Amino acid sequence: DTEVTQTPKHLVMGMTNKKSLKCEQHMGHRAMYWYKQKAKKPPELMFVYSYEKLSINESVPSRFSPECPNSSLLNLHLHALQPEDSALYLCASRQGFGYTFGSGTRLTVV
Amino acid sequence: GQQVMQIPQYQHVQEGEDFTTYCNSSTTLSNIQWYKQRPGGHPVFLIQLVKSGEVKKQKRLTFQFGEAKKNSSLHITATQTTDVGTYFCAGINYQLIWGAGTKLIIKP
């Protein structure tokens, strides 16, 4: 299995909702990442997990809460988001040099 | 902070013409990676360059890393419709530092 699987593919949520994004990989990669990508922009790093521990938080607002339950899973919990948080949320994993990205969750906050 | 500049922002070509995108870093990079993102898709890793002056080829794609490890280029020969997408360079110093991307558009 050489994929990173993200669910859901699309999500529409209200500003008072709580939702979670899920990411799964079975390549044995020990580094996992959350990125946010706005239209016509490069991906923007949010969080890095290394060996299941949060190693980097790029000053992300607390309405985004990451979780790494085990070495294959990464979650991103969302609460009280703003319309400007609407974006493509990408999960990636890495072992060695190449990053493998999931297909992303396209999030719309209404 | 550290930046990677990438130009041009867009390039319109006729099918069969060549395409080139350039990246330039404000500081020396340990290595550089290239990604392709199709419209509506996600970034896909193409290649990593590590050595000063390195040149690597993948079929019609040629990747170069500058002697000072501060610039890089991607050249596509004889573009095809399957080449359409945005090409990103990403320099590496601990984490990826992304260029803004160059969108390859094939003229109808």
Side-chain angles (χ1 to χ4, degrees), chain B residues 20-23 34 49 62-65 71-75:
Chain B
T20 307
T21 174
Y22 301 91
C23 286
W34 285 90
L49 304 174
T62 302
F63 303 86
Q64 294 189 337
F65 200 12
N71 56 71
S72 183
S73 64
L74 159 59
H75 181 81

Side-chain angles (χ1 to χ4, degrees), chain B residues 95-106:
Chain B
Q95 298 297 335
L96 293 179
I97 306 159
W98 294 80
T102 297
K103 189 172 184 177
L104 169 58
I105 299 163
I106 304 280

